[in-house]
Amino acid sequence: MSSKSCSSADSAGKSSIKTGAQIIVDTLIEQGVDTMFGYTGGVVLPLFDRLYDAPINFIIPRHEQGGCHMADAYARASGKVGVVVATSGPGACNLVTGLATAMMDSVPVVALTGQVRTELIGNDAFQEADTTGITRPITKYNCIVKDVKDLARIIRESFYIASTGRPGPVLIDIPVDVAVAECKTDGSVDMKLPGYRIQTGGHARQISMAAKAINKSERPVLYVGGGVISANASDELRAFAEKAHLPVTMTLLGLGSYDGRKPESLDMLGMHGTAYANYAVQECDLLIAVGARFDDRVTGKIKGFAPNAKIIHIDIDPSSISKNVNVDIPVVGDAKFILAELIKQVQYGERKEWFKKIAEWKKKFPLGYDRDSSTIKPQYVVEELCRQTNSEAIITTGVGQNQMWAAQFFRFIRPRQLISSGGLGTMGYGLPAAIGAQIAQPDSIVIDIDGDHSFNMTMTELSTAVQCKLPIKVCILNNGYMGMVRQWQELFFNKRYSKSYLSNPEYATVACAMGAAGITVDKKSDVAKAIKAMLGEKKPCVVDFKVEREENVWPMVPAGKSLNEMDGLDILESLA
Ligand SMILES: Cc1ncc(C[n+]2csc(CCOP(=O)(O)OP(=O)(O)O)c2C)c(N)n1
Ligand SMILES: [Mg+2]
């Protein structure tokens, strides 16, 4: 597709004089924004004044990082662009982790930051920070607006850039003099993005080569990433997998794109993926990657990755093709379109031997844990959450073991159901993400499956959930450790648990003090009851599950090893 010069003619009307701040609000509304997250401060006061009676649901986090994660999760849960606002200096700096999180996971977020007056830029003015400089590597695009006349155009371009191609965060820095300046406008300013080109279609010859390779393959594996979900291509993916009869494995961000209850699902692959997914990748003769980027947590040792496979890579981002792993058949374009084309060209393949082999791996090495243990196993909590919500809940996570157990033991059945920081692995993401997701999907049950230390990082956002009357649920898998760090120290550092535990507060008491409900569970026999009570709670509810402290996540591909070199298989086999 050629670069777009989108006209704003639909918003064109009679010309009038507006301030920059008013133009911002009007352009946001024109872009369909009805929900925003953000925190005020000196240089954004003119904008906040215009937001006073704007028809926008405005959520104030307790920290800008939380606001950015909320906007990010709102985008992931809704498919729309998330919007966050912060003041200059400290406010903008607090967005950094949130922007980097969105960047690594290709999430469309538009961040608006205030900046000091144009004439003061570079003077070390009060609350001045070089926001565009700081955020350049963690945004898809950013810019500073120097002239009020450019404001509407830049905002339109930002929404377009954030949400098209490979999505990502965009930051617009707006000096306060630009926000108060006036300009005559009739609303009709076109985007000017001559260098921004997106290839949606996919090359016909490449598509036909891919189809031929699929039809010929005896041992194919479909490897699906988050790109399928952001391209809204889940229906096409399911139809494609069914028509060609392919086993499907997903990355953390791809979970839900394919129904995890289907027998063809191999669940997650990679470092803590299933043994049957990892073995299948290592033994396949054709790997069909869609909307995935061959990240190191997925590939393990790159040299040993899928050694017998021809690789097809379907992706909207040409720069990700053959970036980490050499690809035989690249197809650049929109997954939704390309999969629809492939459906027409692929044939059903029985592949009896291959599916038999996969069934054997599944039988021998299922995910498991000691179900007879007298202590609360974290995996049991996740399974019970899945059972009681009938696999329907939206799940957000912290980072660490809790995240991996959520991925392994909750069965995801639809896209946009798991909202987790994959690429950056941001502890503290879970709670603000639950808030953003609940605002995007008010009728869904939203559960943050969190780690104690991840929760510690942003738990102040519980106040936001209380103020917004959101019925989010937080399930802390409280092992008292930075569990994933402890697991690595156990396995690779002789059990020297250096600086990987902290004393925690009584989370139920903290929750109550903040106006939420709080439940502590220290007996296995109380787990199901507590989850039932939590699901019936209208207030935000925190459940502190005192889980087995030294439980490990299995299987595990140690860093630098190939996918088939998994630890913990003996444990899984003995539990099968
Ligand atoms: C902001 C941030 N700091 C540090 C890390 C490194 N890190 C990864 S997992 C982890 C421990 C997480 O502990 P907890 O939230 O209790 O989860 P658990 O593994 O115990 O389930 C740490 C410190 C990170 N991912 N993010
Ligand atoms: Mg922990």
Side-chain angles (χ1 to χ4, degrees):
M1 202 178 84
S2 63
S3 80
K4 180 151 175 180
S5 80
C6 165
S7 161
S8 56
D10 52 354
S11 63
K14 268 206 198 136
S15 61
S16 58
I17 305 232
K18 286 185 190 173
T19 61
Q22 190 63 52
I23 291 173
I24 298 171
V25 173
D26 290 350
T27 316
L28 291 175
I29 291 169
E30 165 214 291
Q31 293 295 315
V33 174
D34 56 17
T35 305
M36 286 170 74
F37 305 84
Y39 209 90
T40 190
V43 295
V44 286
L45 280 173
L47 171 60
F48 275 68
D49 181 69
R50 296 294 86 203
L51 286 166
Y52 186 65
D53 41 18
I56 292 177
N57 179 23
F58 196 96
I59 290 93
I60 312 162
R62 298 317 185 243
H63 185 294
E64 291 87 350
Q65 178 190 348
C68 199
H69 291 326
M70 289 172 201
D72 156 317
Y74 175 86
R76 297 190 205 218
S78 67
K80 298 192 219 162
V81 176
V83 182
V84 63
V85 189
T87 194
S88 64
C93 287
N94 278 349
L95 295 180
V96 165
T97 306
L99 291 169
T101 302
M103 183 71 180
M104 289 289 270
D105 289 348
S106 307
V107 181
V109 168
V110 169
L112 304 167
T113 47
Q115 184 52 278
V116 300
R117 286 203 311 278
T118 316
E119 87 231 32
L120 292 180
I121 291 175
N123 281 16
D124 295 337
F126 177 62
Q127 297 197 322
E128 182 189 0
D130 176 6
T131 304
T132 46
I134 291 167
T135 61
R136 183 146 298 137
I138 50 167
T139 49
K140 184 175 172 188
Y141 173 71
N142 74 11
C143 72
I144 180 160
V145 184
K146 296 263 181 68
D147 188 330
V148 65
K149 288 202 232 50
D150 297 333
L151 204 41
R153 173 178 57 80
I154 290 173
I155 294 172
R156 284 177 191 136
E157 289 169 356
S158 297
F159 275 80
Y160 183 66
I161 292 170
S163 59
T164 54
R166 178 175 179 173
V170 172
L171 181 138
I172 317 171
D173 202 27
I174 308 164
V176 61
D177 51 309
V178 174
V180 296
E182 293 187 333
C183 108
K184 198 169 168 194
T185 169
D186 66 358
S188 63
V189 214
D190 287 351
M191 295 202 294
K192 271 193 252 161
L193 294 170
Y196 184 73
R197 291 201 161 77
I198 304 152
Q199 195 177 338
T200 47
H203 198 287
R205 191 167 44 93
Q206 297 297 100
I207 294 175
S208 115
M209 267 167 68
K212 278 191 192 122
I214 293 164
N215 292 338
K216 236 175 59 192
S217 165
E218 283 166 14
R219 288 173 283 115
V221 169
L222 185 51
Y223 147 45
V224 183
V228 167
I229 295 175
S230 49
N232 294 317
S234 219
D235 288 346
E236 288 78 4
L237 178 95
R238 290 167 189 223
F240 166 63
E242 206 164 295
K243 174 136 189 240
H245 195 214
L246 305 168
V248 185
T249 182
M250 290 157 276
T251 67
L252 178 72
L253 294 191
L255 288 172
S257 57
Y258 190 75
D259 187 340
R261 295 169 302 192
K262 292 249 182 191
E264 293 82 9
S265 173
L266 303 177
D267 306 310
M268 187 170 74
L269 80 165
M271 182 176 272
H272 291 296
T274 60
Y276 38 96
N278 289 341
Y279 278 140
V281 168
Q282 290 305 86
E283 298 207 8
C284 71
D285 64 6
L286 182 72
L287 188 68
I288 310 146
V290 193
R293 61 186 175 88
F294 298 87
D295 133 78
D296 59 277
R297 283 295 188 265
V298 160
T299 61
K301 186 166 91 190
I302 287 192
K303 265 203 165 151
F305 178 68
N308 310 311
K310 191 173 217 182
I311 299 183
I312 299 173
H313 189 188
I314 301 168
D315 207 283
I316 191 89
D317 178 8
S319 74
S320 76
I321 304 275
S322 293
K323 179 172 174 172
N324 299 340
V325 168
N326 277 336
V327 169
D328 301 286
I329 310 177
V331 191
V332 176
D334 186 328
K336 195 174 177 73
F337 178 89
I338 292 164
L339 289 171
E341 277 305 305
L342 276 174
I343 291 169
K344 295 180 204 158
Q345 300 182 32
V346 292
Q347 295 143 13
Y348 186 89
E350 193 71 48
R351 303 188 175 103
K352 237 185 174 158
E353 282 302 305
W354 184 224
F355 276 100
K356 192 170 146 233
K357 189 147 201 195
I358 288 171
E360 282 165 15
W361 285 321
K362 279 193 170 186
K363 189 150 181 244
K364 193 162 178 202
F365 307 113
L367 290 172
Y369 61 94
D370 178 8
R371 290 187 159 79
D372 301 327
S373 154
S374 58
T375 58
I376 304 176
K377 291 284 183 181
Q379 302 95 324
Y380 166 56
V381 175
V382 177
E383 272 187 351
E384 190 59 22
L385 286 169
C386 187
R387 195 184 67 77
Q388 289 201 29
T389 61
N390 207 11
S391 266
E392 291 288 345
I394 294 176
I395 302 295
T396 69
T397 75
V399 168
Q401 294 180 316
N402 61 89
Q403 180 182 34
M404 294 299 108
W405 286 318
Q408 291 181 333
F409 289 92
F410 199 97
R411 208 149 279 306
F412 296 96
I413 59 176
R414 61 169 200 279
R416 304 193 184 278
Q417 199 186 355
L418 172 63
I419 295 182
S420 186
S421 168
L424 199 67
T426 307
M427 287 171 72
Y429 179 77
L431 172 61
I435 293 173
Q438 186 76 78
I439 288 167
Q441 303 290 352
D443 298 328
S444 296
I445 298 169
V446 178
I447 305 173
D448 168 25
I449 298 179
D450 221 330
D452 44 336
H453 294 306
S454 293
F455 183 70
N456 287 342
M457 287 205 171
T458 55
M459 66 176 153
T460 184
E461 300 302 347
L462 211 46
S463 277
T464 312
V466 169
Q467 184 173 342
C468 296
K469 299 192 167 54
L470 300 171
I472 58 158
K473 332 285 179 204
V474 179
C475 293
I476 304 175
L477 304 180
N478 185 356
N479 49 17
Y481 277 112
M482 299 175 194
M484 186 57 90
V485 173
R486 189 210 55 75
Q487 176 169 345
W488 284 54
Q489 289 171 328
E490 176 188 329
L491 301 176
F492 312 119
F493 294 89
N494 276 328
K495 296 198 176 184
R496 286 158 57 85
Y497 296 155
S498 176
K499 327 292 183 215
S500 50
Y501 58 92
L502 302 162
S503 64
N504 284 325
E506 275 304 326
Y507 293 114
T509 311
V510 171
C512 291
M514 286 183 159
I519 305 172
T520 306
V521 184
D522 43 24
K523 284 212 300 283
K524 184 180 179 182
S525 54
D526 289 340
V527 168
K529 267 184 288 182
I531 291 176
K532 187 154 183 255
M534 173 191 85
L535 292 172
E537 186 56 68
K538 298 244 169 355
K539 287 198 241 179
C541 183
V542 175
V543 190
D544 178 5
F545 293 98
K546 310 272 194 199
V547 298
E548 171 87 46
R549 298 199 60 193
E550 302 201 3
E551 185 71 10
N552 286 333
V553 182
W554 301 120
M556 176 176 191
V557 180
K561 295 272 171 123
S562 292
L563 283 190
N564 51 317
E565 299 176 286
M566 288 168 274
D567 286 349
L569 290 188
D570 49 336
I571 298 172
L572 293 182
E573 196 174 357
S574 73
L575 291 166

